[in-house]
Amino acid sequence: MNRELATVQVLALLPTFEDQASLSEIFRHSNWTLHFVAGLGQTKAMIDEIVPGVVISDCTLPDARWQDVLCELQRRDVKPTLIVASRLADERLWGEVLGLGGHDVLATPFKAQEVVRSVSLAWRDWRERLRTITRATAKVTLSSASGGLRLAY
């Protein structure tokens, strides 16, 4: 099985030490891999390097907003799933995140049970999208190799 499918890779954009420490403590009790970046600028290179299935972004970053992070993720062939973190996690934010294509909103300070649930569901969603794209690509490649390009759905 591909490394991308076997290991939960999470990229977190969290500006406060408290949120970073809290998330690290929750992840310490799992076999998931957690990476931190300071802002959107570092996110682009890190996404290519680690291929995260899930990105957790604070609502407001030093150099961007969560919507900017979502735009960057949507440029990818297989878009990592976005979870937005906020101290003011309310229905308005949740509706906006879901409406624009994000996966979930987590309130900070983080609660372990909510993080585990949200990250698990987000990663499963990403993994299924990756598998679907991989299967479709394999079918196109096999069809091309046999003499004609046929798209199989």
Side-chain angles (χ1 to χ4, degrees), residues 4-25:
E4 291 87 8
L5 295 176
T7 303
V8 177
Q9 296 280 340
V10 177
L11 180 63
L13 294 86
L14 299 170
T16 69
F17 174 77
E18 294 80 17
D19 289 342
Q20 292 174 12
S22 173
L23 197 59
S24 292
E25 180 60 22

Side-chain angles (χ1 to χ4, degrees), residues 11 37 39-52 72 76:
L11 180 63
V37 291
L40 183 60
Q42 293 178 329
T43 301
K44 297 172 186 180
M46 188 61 96
I47 288 173
D48 292 334
E49 183 180 327
I50 67 167
V51 189
E72 179 58 36
R76 306 295 168 167

Side-chain angles (χ1 to χ4, degrees), residues 91-118:
E91 289 181 20
R92 182 204 55 79
L93 177 61
W94 191 73
E96 185 179 5
V97 169
L98 293 181
L100 292 176
H103 180 77
D104 200 1
V105 174
L106 287 173
T108 57
F110 293 114
K111 294 182 178 129
Q113 187 174 9
E114 291 176 10
V115 170
V116 169
R117 177 196 56 79
S118 186

